Amino acid sequence: KHEKMLAAARRSGLLQSGVRAMSLKSSSGKAIWDGPRPAGYPHHIKTIASLKKDQIDSILDMAKDLKASPQKYLKALDKKTLLMLFEKPSLRTRVSLETGMHQLGGQGMFYSLADSPLGKKETIQDTGKVVSRFVDAVTMRVNSRLAVEEMAANATIPVINALDDYAHPCQMLADLLTIIEHKGKLQGLKMAFVGDCQNNMTYDLMRTAVVMGFHINVAGPKSADFEVEWGVVKECEELSKVPGAGSFSIGNNLNEAIKDVDIVYCDSWMSYGIASDERAERLKALMPFQVTAASMEVTKPDSLFMNCLPAMRGEEQTADVIDGPKSIVFDQAENRLHAQKALLVSLINGFGWRP
């Protein structure tokens, strides 16, 4: 019956001879009707360590090129669709992804999980299989790493973690692009992350440093509520065994962490999900790690200040730091657009693809 349908379609001109048609028996129609897939497809991005150094280098090279010559990439993802699942509020993530897909010739589709929470009405396993039939990639900004893991285990299209409680790989790529623009290199640099060390930014910055060959000092309160998860420490120890890998240290002293570093990095102390009645206790514990103009004086003379935003002046840093000459926070924000565009093209079209 299927062959008769194909023959009739060819006779009517609806299907040209040689064009590959969708098989009625395929387990994932898109894998066939949307053409051949690159090697290693689908490549899921759960943390920055989901990417090897050479893959990150390839993404950054493309990001620099498409930032300089965006017109070359206007059809890079022609008629492709990105599904964006949001459980947490967002400004930079949603706007940069939607804008990026539009600039690449595709479209970004926002879906609020407040309307239909993952795993409630339908299992995440089923959701992963269903959306794989409709779209070309999916990003997830969610509360738990378990949702990303489960989606990736069942989807037959690339799944990208756009933020969970364990990692923030899209931000990492933007940060790397920004550092290269200002420093010209990554290897051999020294970074310090100070503040709440028990969060996604700390974990992925540690992974990023080790994978890309620079050093990071992590410093925060000596408390079980603020310390790096042990599993992340062990993961980074394993990653550091690769030739050319970077390194990390963990401590509890601000000045020791930032002394003679090239980059100081902060993140919000009051992330989404922090209860209002916890605010006073958190501030009391974290204020010794506030970055001030005096703090920045012990860093290198040409040091930079970074914050992934949103930021609160007077909390994780003072206004004269984030609004000062060393701050590159808005370059970071802009580079979310360019880095994510390069990531999406690489995952959908294949690493090394160029227009």
Side-chain angles (χ1 to χ4, degrees):
K1 183 178 180 181
H2 181 46
E3 290 303 320
K4 289 180 181 178
M5 290 169 61
L6 289 177
R10 290 192 181 99
R11 286 195 301 271
S12 66
L14 294 176
L15 183 66
Q16 297 176 359
S17 180
V19 175
R20 197 175 192 184
M22 181 179 70
S23 167
L24 297 180
K25 298 180 180 179
S26 72
S27 60
S28 176
K30 286 189 67 63
I32 294 177
W33 63 256
D34 217 14
R37 294 304 192 188
Y41 183 92
H43 192 125
H44 304 305
I45 309 300
K46 304 174 191 175
T47 75
I48 193 63
S50 300
L51 294 162
K52 296 178 181 178
K53 183 180 183 300
D54 63 331
Q55 293 172 325
I56 294 175
D57 287 335
S58 175
I59 291 168
L60 295 176
D61 286 343
M62 183 188 291
K64 287 183 280 186
D65 187 49
L66 62 78
K67 184 176 181 178
S69 305
Q71 69 280 0
K72 290 164 52 177
Y73 294 82
L74 294 178
K75 296 295 183 182
L77 295 181
D78 187 36
K79 297 181 177 63
K80 302 295 185 184
T81 302
L82 171 69
L83 174 63
M84 306 178 301
L85 301 176
F86 282 84
E87 190 173 27
K88 302 180 99 174
S90 167
L91 171 67
R92 280 153 295 278
T93 300
R94 178 178 178 179
V95 174
S96 60
L97 285 171
E98 285 195 19
T99 302
M101 284 299 294
H102 176 73
Q103 292 176 354
L104 294 167
Q107 67 169 336
M109 182 186 301
F110 172 83
Y111 188 87
S112 172
L113 294 174
D115 301 325
S116 180
L118 275 178
K120 301 297 183 183
K121 185 177 179 181
E122 179 178 66
T123 66
I124 297 177
Q125 295 98 312
D126 287 354
T127 299
K129 292 171 182 175
V130 168
V131 300
S132 296
R133 304 289 185 106
F134 297 151
V135 301
D136 300 279
V138 58
T139 57
M140 303 178 66
R141 185 175 174 91
V142 293
N143 293 320
S144 171
R145 67 197 75 171
L146 298 178
V148 175
E149 288 279 355
E150 205 164 353
M151 182 70 77
N154 291 278
T156 55
I157 55 173
V159 173
I160 303 168
N161 179 1
L163 181 142
D164 64 11
D165 63 336
Y166 199 51
H168 200 352
C170 291
Q171 183 67 52
M172 296 302 104
L173 293 171
D175 290 345
L176 291 173
L177 178 60
T178 307
I179 293 168
I180 290 172
E181 289 177 341
H182 285 269
K183 290 293 186 182
K185 64 175 185 177
L186 295 170
Q187 285 205 299
L189 294 177
K190 290 179 67 177
M191 175 187 284
F193 179 91
V194 295
D196 179 4
C197 300
Q198 195 175 103
N199 69 22
N200 47 19
M201 284 300 301
T202 316
Y203 303 162
D204 244 11
L205 282 169
M206 289 173 62
R207 298 180 185 109
T208 300
V210 175
V211 170
M212 299 307 293
F214 61 93
H215 179 79
I216 185 168
N217 296 324
V218 172
K222 193 172 184 179
S223 163
D225 294 330
F226 299 104
E227 292 176 349
V228 179
E229 289 184 32
W230 184 243
V232 176
V233 175
K234 299 303 293 182
E235 178 189 1
C236 290
E237 287 178 347
E238 287 300 312
L239 291 170
S240 67
K241 295 176 182 178
V242 176
S247 54
F248 68 95
S249 68
I250 300 175
N252 307 109
N253 184 283
L254 170 68
N255 288 330
E256 288 178 6
I258 66 176
K259 183 174 175 57
D260 296 325
V261 299
D262 300 283
I263 302 159
V264 176
Y265 205 121
C266 287
D267 185 21
S268 172
W269 292 347
M270 303 297 164
S271 300
Y272 299 118
I274 300 296
S276 57
D277 57 358
E278 297 178 32
R279 180 177 173 82
E281 282 299 313
R282 287 181 65 84
L283 283 175
K284 181 180 178 181
L286 290 163
M287 280 305 290
F289 296 90
Q290 183 186 67
V291 177
T292 65
S295 304
M296 294 298 292
E297 289 181 3
V298 307
T299 66
K300 287 185 178 179
D302 62 346
S303 64
L304 303 171
F305 175 79
M306 302 179 76
N307 186 316
C308 59
L309 303 181
M312 288 298 294
R313 290 158 177 81
E315 291 188 6
E316 67 268 18
Q317 72 284 294
T318 52
D320 53 357
V321 171
I322 194 169
D323 298 321
K326 290 178 177 287
S327 175
I328 55 173
V329 300
F330 298 109
D331 292 344
Q332 290 175 260
E334 178 192 342
N335 281 337
R336 285 288 296 277
L337 172 66
H338 310 301
Q340 288 166 179
K341 285 168 69 176
L343 175 64
L344 288 164
V345 171
S346 297
L347 295 179
I348 294 173
N349 292 351
F351 289 95
W353 182 93
R354 292 296 184 272

